[in-house]
Amino acid sequence: MFTVATLLYDDVRAFDFGVISEVWGMDRVSGGLPGFELRRCSAGARPVRMFPGATVSATHDLDGLDGADLVVVPGRDTPFAPVEPAVLDALRGAHARGVPIGSLCAGAFVLAAAGLLDGRRAVTHWALADRLAAGHPEVRVEPDVLFTEDRGIWTGAGTVGGVDLCLELVRRSHGAGVANAIARRMVTAAHRTGGQAQFIERPIPPVTTTRSALAETMDWARSHLDRPLTVAELARRARSAPRTFARHFTEATGTTPARWLVAQRIAEAQRLLETEDLSVEQIAARCGFGTTTMLRRHFLRAVGTTPTVYRRTFARV
């Protein structure tokens, strides 16, 4: 059974803890999904006061991180406060054993205090990014992304960005099919494109005909990924000029049409590799990459492995 240890300490944010519990703490085995063991680890296995006021009991002392397949650190309401040395030592020990470690939102400050982000790329809530960079200049803060991974250390952006990170961690350990199934049960997107920049201090734009046409165009593109789609073609579907379409698309999604299309093609390739007995050449054509070389190049960049190795790991056929 895949074991996840979540680190608990005072003022941990209840939302972050709830996301972790929803992803790895729910028993979905009867629905055909794999089982997880979620360990709640605190110093001395003591109960922990969460923000904004609830208390959560621990199932393990900090030695609960031993033997875990993954360690996840939720953020806390006091991100700049000192962290117990025992907590930092436990994180360093897990990292030394080669265990992947992820943090949600302000949890990045805990990883930074442990020295685990030194020389690594990291993200936190956009409102805290400057403080993280100022307090830990050795960390390469990337404020605009939803999550980052750098040599086994994962960090997620603010609040709902933690959902993105947790689902990505499931995708990396158990495949896109399991991550998608959990996302459906959570009634959330399995993978959001774009970055955190799209959420920084901007009002939500009203629903307009242009935005409606954009959504329809995106739905149409997802069902025609086998075609060599261009921005000009998508703009025609949205009844817009290409330059105007590209601008509206980036404003709405936080990414360009070209990057969004690649992300959709990769997601479809993952699904086909897991569920269909098709050759890599057929999958490349079905997803619109044209050649296996292009599929492998984009797949390796996005997923960190080759289509063949991914299929060997996650195929259900």
Side-chain angles (χ1 to χ4, degrees):
M1 180 176 290
F2 192 85
T3 301
V4 179
T6 183
L7 193 60
L8 299 177
Y9 44 94
D10 284 342
D11 287 329
V12 68
R13 292 182 62 87
F15 183 91
D16 290 6
F17 173 72
V19 168
I20 295 167
S21 299
E22 182 69 27
V23 172
W24 288 289
M26 303 290 290
D27 185 357
R28 301 184 176 96
V29 174
S30 62
L33 294 178
F36 299 105
E37 178 192 358
L38 178 61
R39 299 176 179 176
R40 304 190 300 271
C41 306
S42 69
R46 68 173 185 266
V48 171
R49 185 186 70 256
M50 295 192 298
F51 174 84
T55 298
V56 61
S57 61
T59 59
H60 293 73
D61 195 344
L62 293 176
D63 59 9
L65 275 64
D66 297 344
D69 300 296
L70 171 68
V71 174
V72 185
V73 181
R76 58 177 176 169
D77 192 52
T78 53
F80 317 121
V83 183
E84 291 181 75
V87 170
L88 301 181
D89 287 342
L91 283 171
R92 295 185 190 109
H95 176 58
R97 293 189 295 274
V99 180
I101 300 175
S103 68
L104 279 62
C105 195
F109 285 84
V110 180
L111 300 190
L116 300 186
L117 297 183
D118 291 359
R120 284 180 164 86
R121 295 177 294 109
V123 65
T124 186
H125 191 288
W126 58 263
L128 300 173
D130 288 344
R131 291 290 298 270
L132 180 62
H136 301 276
E138 64 280 5
V139 180
R140 294 158 54 195
V141 180
E142 298 188 357
D144 294 343
V145 298
L146 292 174
F147 56 80
T148 65
E149 187 275 334
D150 195 329
R151 289 167 289 162
I153 302 293
W154 298 76
T155 52
T159 316
V160 181
V163 177
D164 297 295
L165 173 61
C166 290
L167 291 173
E168 180 64 21
L169 289 170
V170 172
R171 185 177 293 107
R172 293 302 178 99
S173 63
H174 289 78
V178 174
N180 292 348
I182 292 175
R184 284 194 297 272
R185 284 160 174 77
M186 293 175 65
V187 197
T188 189
H191 178 74
R192 289 192 297 166
T193 54
Q196 195 176 191
Q198 60 189 304
F199 304 107
I200 297 176
E201 294 293 344
R202 295 173 184 165
I204 298 174
V207 176
T208 64
T209 302
T210 299
R211 288 176 60 81
S212 176
L214 178 60
E216 292 174 2
T217 300
M218 294 169 72
D219 288 341
W220 177 85
R222 289 189 190 96
S223 62
H224 293 82
L225 292 174
D226 58 320
R227 299 177 52 163
L229 302 172
T230 64
V231 174
E233 183 176 8
L234 296 179
R236 284 195 299 272
R237 298 286 309 185
R239 300 176 294 279
S240 176
R243 184 174 297 180
T244 302
F245 172 81
R247 176 168 55 81
H248 286 163
F249 192 100
T250 302
E251 289 173 352
T253 68
T255 191
T256 65
R259 290 176 179 171
W260 179 85
L261 277 170
V262 170
Q264 303 310 304
R265 296 187 196 282
I266 291 294
E268 178 64 5
Q270 288 179 290
R271 187 188 71 80
L272 293 174
L273 287 165
E274 292 181 29
T275 62
E276 300 290 341
D277 188 20
L278 299 172
S279 68
V280 174
E281 290 78 8
Q282 289 173 310
I283 291 174
R286 183 86 66 89
C287 297
F289 285 111
T291 66
T292 57
T293 299
M294 290 299 294
L295 169 60
R296 291 191 182 99
R297 181 182 302 169
H298 286 288
F299 200 91
L300 182 61
R301 183 181 302 151
V303 184
T305 189
T306 66
T308 301
V309 172
Y310 185 88
R311 165 173 273 168
R312 189 181 305 135
T313 304
F314 298 116
R316 290 179 284 159
V317 296

